[in-house]
Amino acid sequence: MESGRPYAFVLLPQRPEFAEFYEDVIRPSLEDVGYEVEQAVQAFDDREQLRAAIMSIYRARLVVADITVMNSQLYYELGLAQGLLKPMIVMTRQIERLPPAFQGARILEYTLHYKRVNELRARLRELARQCLTGTIEHSNPVLEIVGQLGAPPSYAELPAPAPVAD
């Protein structure tokens, strides 16, 4: 998938109903803005699939994660995206059911009610555009903290860790 367009990687719960949501809402919304879009594989069956997921997150200009239904693989991929300092759009249908670690984070709450789906598509397109222009309000707490330090999101320029006492 090398098209020259910005690349978005999508992390979804491992449930069939999210495949339709991806095809009908997420992928077309991001493609409308100009992204090349790929969804994460459903499970890491071997080390090569894990490597592929890490490389996809690494090269992504934007990571979109739906955390409505969490599982260990989704948590792992979300952590990778945060650690790699990726701009993210984190979304859920049930914000009140999120773990405390997500409280206070910028999360897009949505509904699939037929009257509201077009609003969701428009919001996704706007957030994706903001990512391209560098004006997105990130949902990546690591990127937010690094930004507060005044350090650009580059490994070479991050502050060195404090020495460990013997």
Side-chain angles (χ1 to χ4, degrees):
M1 284 189 130
E2 294 293 330
S3 66
R5 296 181 295 164
Y7 177 68
F9 194 58
V10 180
L11 312 173
L12 295 174
Q14 298 176 355
R15 293 194 176 176
E17 65 266 25
F18 286 93
E20 185 175 306
F21 178 59
Y22 169 78
E23 291 297 332
D24 292 345
V25 177
I26 296 175
R27 191 177 83 194
S29 298
L30 298 176
E31 287 176 342
D32 285 350
V33 180
Y35 283 90
E36 171 188 357
V37 184
E38 181 182 11
Q39 181 182 359
V41 296
Q42 290 297 311
F44 300 140
D45 292 331
D46 59 37
R47 188 135 178 98
E48 188 53 37
Q49 286 179 329
L50 172 61
R51 182 186 184 287
I54 291 169
M55 293 306 296
S56 293
I57 293 168
Y58 179 77
R59 79 178 190 97
R61 175 90 180 261
L62 172 65
V63 174
V64 176
D66 188 316
I67 58 174
T68 300
V69 180
M70 294 298 291
N71 61 54
S72 58
Q73 180 174 326
L74 190 53
Y75 270 123
Y76 184 75
E77 291 170 320
L78 192 62
L80 286 171
Q82 289 178 347
L84 290 170
L85 306 175
K86 294 300 172 174
M88 300 173 67
I89 299 172
V90 180
M91 51 198 300
T92 185
R93 292 182 206 163
Q94 302 168 322
I95 205 159
E96 71 281 352
R97 297 177 83 190
L98 294 178
F102 290 99
Q103 292 176 4
R106 291 181 188 99
I107 296 178
L108 173 61
E109 186 174 20
Y110 70 94
T111 177
L112 292 179
H113 188 277
Y114 74 97
K115 290 183 178 181
R116 306 289 304 270
V117 171
N118 283 336
E119 290 175 26
L120 174 59
R121 287 184 184 114
R123 186 69 179 130
L124 279 173
R125 283 192 299 268
E126 178 57 29
L127 290 170
R129 274 189 201 95
Q130 289 176 9
C131 181
L132 286 177
T133 62
T135 59
I136 192 169
E137 293 282 331
H138 300 288
S139 292
N140 183 336
V142 176
L143 190 55
E144 289 173 10
I145 291 167
V146 168
Q148 291 170 1
L149 295 174
S154 165
Y155 292 114
E157 298 177 18
L158 290 176
V164 178
D166 290 330

